[in-house]
């Protein structure tokens, strides 16, 4: 018998999938950050014991089917409208835990008004924002967060700032609003970052339970299919290019 | 307790909503319906019934707030006027596609575009034919008095929950702005969370232990499943067409000519009927109260009796298409109506009847 | 030869072979298989099990949550 087989026993278990994450195989591409962030949300819901009181609002984009993976009640919103749904769900059922899960197109392009005004009203919700700088679901078009010079199918020569404007730093913008209590930018490309991101998500839900206002967690993410790289290359590219424009860390913590 | 009051149609909507136990109102100001939210804010129902009232950043946001609230099994509503209701079309098709009940009031003004703040009936097609994308319908009620503005809030919610479908109260700037006496019903308690839990097994109220998670969605990637869903929606609309048609007949028994009009136009036409009868013209009126489902059978029956029909609408002629379909071209059907916010007079209607139908 | 302190179990049918676990492993335990699973992915496996320290980095980072991690309790001397 090898060591390995003796080690694999219940008393030595240190990491396994939480039951709040369903067994359904995720439809995401190999290496996609969505899966990691879904897992973190499920783990936080499990650890806080709020599975029965949490309602998720899914977006339009790659994570439109997020409700297939986390075992809670969900509403699927029209593109960009998740903060409006979350507003009503929380206001009508203030005792529940409500979060929206949105990509960059959903949160920072088509739903900018809903995002800004939910944050400005200080809706007591959690907003999870996946920023991978591209439109994944529709096949790699330019996002509001596509970096200058970064190619996408609707800017094949790279984003031309003189034509398309500069990528929007929506988290910086939202941090200016009095309604937000916690705005942070995280990543999930290393184990250490995953652990930090989870702490941030947990804090956001705790803020909601303490009625502190809107918590926004941006996760700078990869879209290796859209970026046309391997998952590992994409992580490296993100470190080298995305983090200088979208620096990690807390933008606001009150 | 019941109360008799003098108020605007828009105000009546607000008072009726509070008294009926509506859980939430989400809206955005627009003329000529802003009194709905103004009245709600002045009444502060959050202190009495616990009703949530919120001014959203746009009609897009308010209809999506309605979606969020409806998904929780709450009685939620919004109101707006034509340009704002155009913005709500996305939300409405999602609500229909997710089978969510809600009430939307459209106090119609003249269009197209920003148009005018004066009353019109030119949003008929948008209301009864769906308005947004996909095969769906809005159950549409057309009030013709301030009393009906109040009463239809309750009726609309009952239909909305019976069919799990959005219901539109299609009013107009006249009914919204005019003052009449109205009997307000007694206060009813809002639904408790327990009541919602027992009655709406689809509502996202948090996944209880041992319970399947609940998902409110309109997306389905398997076309065969989506086709089945569409068939189910159509069956629902068919049941609605069979069971929910509402109308009013005025002096139809011996009528040789028929006016068909709804909402404020029906009030004008009622006067036209009186004047025409004094002149010896045997004219009656059918007032559809539900515009969808449309009183097709009643019109078909009347077509066997009368010589011609005048559809009187403050539009370029929208309801006339449904009338023509109902009577299957067996008798002449003509349209009369003023446009762009101008209200026709009873005399103009009689003149049109004489020229287009009697002399035509 | 190093004695393994940890071990992982990969749900090889769920694994999409993205290789993120391979790159995150501090002791180069994980390889992608030459074989493919039912979906055609070169799944992750413990190529060098003796080096595993049971840090759980692979499990934590796996986007498809298909890695379960075990760590041996320290043996008292």
């Amino acid at each position: 018998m090898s060591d390995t087989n003796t080690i694999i026993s219940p008393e030595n278990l240190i990491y396994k999938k939480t039951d709040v994450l369903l067994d359904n195989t995720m439809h995401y591409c190999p290496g996609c950050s969505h899966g990691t962030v879904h897992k973190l949300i499920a783990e936080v819901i499990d650890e806080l014991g709020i599975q029965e009181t949490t309602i998720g609002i899914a977006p339009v984009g790659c994570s439109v089917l997020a409700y297939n993976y986390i075992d809670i009640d969900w509403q699927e919103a029209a593109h960009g409208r998740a903060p409006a749904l979350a507003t009503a769900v929380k206001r009508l059922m203030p005792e529940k835990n409500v979060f929206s899960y949105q990509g960059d197109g959903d949160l920072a392009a088509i739903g900018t008004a809903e995002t800004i005004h939910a944050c400005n009203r200080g809706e007591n919700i959690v907003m999870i924002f996946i920023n991978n700088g591209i439109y994944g679901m529709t096949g790699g078009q330019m996002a509001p967060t596509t970096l200058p010079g970064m190619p996408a199918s609707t800017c094949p020569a790279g984003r031309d700032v003189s034509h398309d404007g500069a990528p929007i730093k929506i988290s910086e913008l939202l941090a200016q609003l009095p309604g937000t209590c916690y705005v942070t930018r995280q990543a999930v490309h290393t184990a250490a970052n995953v652990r930090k991101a989870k702490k941030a998500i947990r804090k956001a839900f705790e803020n909601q339970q303490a009625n502190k206002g809107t918590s926004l967690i941006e996760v700078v993410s990869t879209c290796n299919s859209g970026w046309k790289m391997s998952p590992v290359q994409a992580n490296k590219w993100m470190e080298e290019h995305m983090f200088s424009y979208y620096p990690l860390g807390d933008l606001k913590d009150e | 307790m019941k109360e008799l009051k003098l108020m605007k149609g828009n105000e009546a909507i607000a008072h009726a909503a509070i008294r009926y136990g509506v859980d939430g109102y989400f809206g955005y100001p627009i003329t000529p319906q802003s009194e709905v939210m103004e009245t709600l804010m002045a009444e502060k129902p959050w202190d009495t019934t616990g009703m949530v009232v919120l001014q959203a950043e746009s009609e897009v946001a308010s209809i999506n707030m309605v979606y969020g609230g409806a998904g929780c099994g709450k009685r939620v509503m919004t109101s707006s006027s034509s340009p704002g209701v155009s913005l709500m079309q996305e939300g409405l098709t999602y609500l229909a596609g997710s089978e969510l009940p809600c009430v939307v009031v459209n106090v119609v003004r003249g269009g197209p575009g920003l148009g005018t703040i004066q009353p019109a009936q030119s949003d008929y097609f948008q209301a009864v034919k769906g308005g947004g994308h996909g095969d769906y319908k809005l159950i549409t009620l057309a009030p013709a008095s301030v009393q009906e503005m109040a009463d239809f809030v309750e009726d609309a919610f009952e239909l909305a929950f019976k069919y799990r479908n959005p219901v539109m109260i299609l009013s107009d700037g006249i009914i919204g702005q005019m003052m009449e006496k109205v009997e307000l019903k007694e206060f009813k308690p809002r639904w408790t969370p327990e009541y919602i839990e027992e009655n709406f097994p689809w509502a996202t109220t948090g996944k209880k232990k041992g319970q399947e998670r609940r998902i409110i969605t309109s997306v389905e990637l398997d076309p065969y499943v989506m086709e089945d869903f569409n068939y189910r929606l159509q069956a629902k609309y068919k049941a609605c067409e069979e069971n929910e048609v509402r109308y009013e007949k005025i002096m139809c028994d011996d009528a040789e000519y028929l006016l068909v009009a709804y909402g404020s136009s029906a009030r004008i036409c009622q006067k036209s009927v009186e004047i025409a009868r004094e002149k010896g013209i045997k004219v009656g009126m059918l007032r559809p109260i539900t515009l969808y489902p449309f009183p097709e059978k009643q019109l078909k029956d009347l077509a066997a009796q009368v010589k011609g029909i005048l559809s009187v609408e403050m539009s370029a002629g929208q309801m006339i298409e449904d009338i023509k379909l109902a009577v299957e071209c067996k008798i002449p059907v003509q349209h009369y109506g003023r446009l762009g916010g101008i209200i026709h007079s009873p005399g103009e209607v009689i003149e049109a009847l004489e020229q287009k139908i009697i002399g035509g | 030869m190093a004695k393994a302190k940890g071990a992982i179990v990969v749900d090889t049918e769920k694994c999409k072979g993205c290789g993120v676990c391979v790159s995150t492993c501090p002791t180069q335990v994980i390889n992608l298989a030459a074989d493919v699973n039912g979906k055609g992915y070169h799944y992750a496996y413990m190529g060098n099990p003796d080096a595993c320290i049971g840090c759980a980095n692979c499990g934590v980072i796996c986007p498809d949550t298909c890695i379960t991690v075990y760590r041996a309790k320290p043996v008292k001397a």
Side-chain angles (χ1 to χ4, degrees):
Chain A
M1 282 291 268
S2 71
D3 291 341
T4 300
N5 283 343
T6 44
I7 294 169
I8 298 172
S9 66
E11 72 273 15
N12 290 334
L13 178 71
I14 59 157
Y15 188 86
K16 75 172 182 74
K17 184 183 81 63
T18 161
D19 291 338
V20 176
L21 198 66
L22 290 154
D23 286 328
N24 302 335
T25 299
M26 292 191 188
H27 70 282
Y28 301 114
C29 303
C32 177
S33 313
H34 276 305
T36 317
V37 181
H38 284 13
K39 163 169 69 179
L40 297 185
I41 296 168
E43 287 176 355
V44 168
I45 289 170
D46 192 0
E47 287 168 20
L48 294 176
I50 55 172
Q51 187 179 14
E52 291 188 44
T53 55
T54 301
I55 291 130
I57 312 293
V60 170
C62 283
S63 48
V64 63
L65 302 175
Y67 54 74
N68 282 338
Y69 309 124
I70 302 179
D71 192 16
I72 53 168
D73 282 0
W74 283 92
Q75 293 190 15
E76 200 284 308
H79 201 12
R81 319 296 174 221
L85 271 67
T87 294
V89 172
K90 184 67 184 181
R91 290 211 180 213
L92 289 160
M93 302 192 301
E95 71 285 4
K96 308 289 181 189
N97 300 283
V98 183
F99 74 94
S100 70
Y101 187 101
Q102 303 173 263
D104 40 47
D106 199 89
L107 183 138
I110 196 167
T112 313
E114 286 77 9
T115 299
I116 288 178
H117 286 278
C119 288
N120 193 52
R121 289 189 301 264
E123 296 298 341
N124 194 25
I125 56 172
V126 174
M127 296 172 73
I128 310 280
F129 165 38
I130 306 298
N131 174 10
N132 58 15
I134 206 157
Y135 283 6
M137 186 180 72
T138 43
Q141 294 82 7
M142 183 177 66
T145 51
T146 298
L147 295 176
M150 180 177 169
S153 68
T154 49
C155 55
R159 183 188 192 122
D160 176 356
V161 171
S162 71
H163 184 266
D164 304 312
I168 187 167
K169 295 187 181 185
I170 191 91
S171 294
E172 276 81 349
L173 200 155
L174 298 173
Q176 301 301 311
L177 303 174
T180 51
C181 63
Y182 181 44
V183 180
T184 185
R185 190 181 278 125
Q186 302 286 330
V188 292
H189 65 306
T190 70
N193 284 96
V194 174
R195 290 184 175 103
K196 268 171 113 172
K198 182 174 165 184
K199 278 194 189 129
I201 293 171
R202 184 179 169 116
K203 182 177 194 161
F205 277 95
E206 286 168 348
N207 285 344
Q208 180 170 172
Q209 291 177 334
N211 291 314
K212 287 175 79 172
T214 314
S215 295
L216 179 104
I217 295 155
E218 173 177 343
V219 184
V220 184
S221 301
T222 61
C223 174
N224 53 76
S225 297
W227 294 2
K228 309 199 187 317
M229 296 176 196
S230 76
V232 175
Q233 279 171 341
N235 278 341
K236 197 161 181 293
W237 194 91
M238 176 174 71
E239 272 189 333
E240 287 167 0
H241 298 87
M242 296 278 278
F243 292 168
S244 53
Y245 199 89
Y246 302 113
L248 303 187
D250 290 350
L251 291 153
K252 184 178 194 178
D253 184 9
E254 288 175 353
Chain B
M1 62 173 206
K2 288 185 183 177
E3 271 185 278
L4 202 59
K5 287 197 166 182
L6 179 71
M7 61 173 67
K8 288 186 175 189
N10 289 337
E11 294 163 347
I13 291 268
H15 285 284
I18 298 169
R19 285 169 178 254
Y20 180 57
V22 169
D23 296 299
Y25 172 95
F26 304 92
Y28 186 80
I30 184 171
T31 309
Q33 67 77 50
S34 297
E35 294 86 355
V36 179
M37 187 163 39
E38 286 170 351
T39 305
L40 287 167
M41 291 296 187
E43 290 293 312
K44 298 182 180 173
W46 49 91
D47 284 339
T48 51
T49 70
M51 179 182 181
V52 170
V53 186
L54 184 64
Q55 179 169 337
E57 62 270 30
S58 67
E59 289 87 351
V60 176
S62 49
I63 194 69
N64 281 286
M65 289 173 184
V66 164
Y67 181 108
C72 302
K74 301 283 186 180
R75 291 195 287 212
V76 286
M77 64 183 291
T78 185
S79 63
S80 188
S81 181
S82 311
V85 176
S86 290
L87 279 175
M88 290 183 185
Q89 294 306 317
E90 174 201 56
L92 285 167
T93 172
Y94 277 73
L95 280 149
S98 301
E99 296 198 89
L100 292 179
C102 71
V103 173
V104 177
V105 183
N106 184 357
V107 183
V108 179
R109 60 191 243 185
L114 198 51
T116 170
I117 57 171
Q118 304 299 327
Q121 295 183 312
S122 43
D123 295 356
Y124 177 93
F125 282 149
Q126 188 191 56
V128 307
K129 305 297 179 190
H133 60 277
D135 280 318
Y136 77 95
K137 299 279 192 181
L138 297 181
I139 301 167
T140 306
L141 299 173
S145 63
V146 173
Q147 185 66 54
E148 284 188 340
M149 285 286 257
D151 294 347
F152 285 6
V153 171
E154 176 168 346
D155 296 355
F157 272 108
E158 294 201 346
L159 287 165
F161 277 84
K162 182 175 177 186
Y163 291 95
R164 279 184 66 187
N165 200 73
V167 175
M168 178 165 283
I169 297 177
L170 190 71
S171 181
D172 64 61
I174 300 176
I175 311 285
Q177 291 295 328
M178 73 183 185
M179 292 181 93
E180 276 186 324
K181 73 173 181 195
V182 53
E183 187 185 286
L184 296 171
K185 292 187 181 173
E186 291 175 14
F187 283 90
K188 286 184 186 169
R190 288 170 53 229
W191 286 337
T192 61
E194 294 73 27
Y195 179 89
I196 291 172
E197 209 51 55
E198 268 170 44
N199 289 278
F200 309 119
W202 45 265
T204 55
T205 52
K207 177 193 180 295
K208 312 293 170 295
K209 275 208 166 47
Q211 179 182 288
E212 277 289 298
R213 70 191 192 288
R214 296 169 178 177
I215 298 163
I216 303 290
T217 184
S218 59
V219 63
E220 174 52 62
L221 299 178
D222 180 340
Y224 292 98
V225 177
M226 197 60 193
E227 186 182 41
D228 285 345
F229 170 73
N230 267 282
Y231 283 138
R232 197 157 58 72
L233 266 192
Q234 293 308 312
K236 189 165 86 171
Y237 296 136
K238 192 155 194 309
C240 185
E241 285 162 18
E242 279 162 14
N243 300 315
E244 309 302 344
V245 170
R246 288 172 61 181
Y247 58 92
E248 183 186 13
K249 274 183 182 176
I250 291 171
M251 318 233 9
C252 284
D253 288 351
D254 62 342
E256 291 176 5
Y257 304 100
L258 186 70
L259 303 179
V260 183
Y262 67 93
S264 53
S265 182
R267 295 172 69 104
I268 296 160
C269 286
Q270 195 169 345
K271 190 72 189 168
S272 305
V273 169
E274 277 174 36
I275 298 169
R277 288 256 169 191
E278 280 167 19
K279 288 173 72 177
I281 305 168
K282 285 188 174 175
V283 59
M285 178 177 80
L286 181 91
R287 172 170 83 97
I289 295 173
T290 51
L291 299 180
Y292 176 81
F294 193 66
E296 281 177 34
K297 189 185 165 301
Q298 290 70 24
L299 271 165
K300 198 176 174 184
D301 292 349
L302 280 165
Q305 172 195 327
V306 300
K307 295 174 185 165
I309 294 177
L310 189 67
S311 177
V312 187
E313 322 163 51
M314 296 188 293
S315 75
Q318 299 191 10
M319 180 174 67
I320 185 174
E321 294 193 5
D322 285 334
I323 299 170
K324 282 183 172 175
L325 284 170
V327 306
E328 295 169 345
C329 302
K330 284 179 180 145
I331 55 168
V333 180
Q334 295 289 337
H335 162 261
Y336 176 71
R338 300 292 299 270
L339 305 175
I342 300 292
I343 303 157
H344 38 252
S345 69
E348 286 175 320
V349 173
I350 296 168
E351 209 173 297
L353 178 72
E354 285 173 330
Q355 284 174 8
K356 295 187 171 198
I357 300 293
I358 301 172
Chain C
M1 198 176 189
K3 192 171 150 63
K5 292 178 189 149
I8 64 169
V9 175
V10 179
D11 182 339
T12 53
E13 274 311 305
K14 226 175 159 185
C15 176
K16 295 175 184 161
C18 70
V20 171
C21 55
V22 176
S23 71
T24 204
C25 177
T27 53
Q28 289 82 46
V29 172
I30 310 171
N31 293 346
L32 294 185
D35 288 353
V36 292
N37 63 16
K39 292 207 170 101
Y41 292 121
H42 295 282
Y43 54 85
Y45 77 106
M46 280 210 288
N48 182 17
D50 290 344
C52 182
I53 55 172
C55 69
N57 280 3
C58 54
V60 164
I61 205 165
C62 174
D64 291 284
T65 319
C66 49
I67 303 179
T68 307
V69 185
Y70 299 86
R71 183 163 59 213
K73 303 257 182 305
V75 184
K76 281 172 193 154

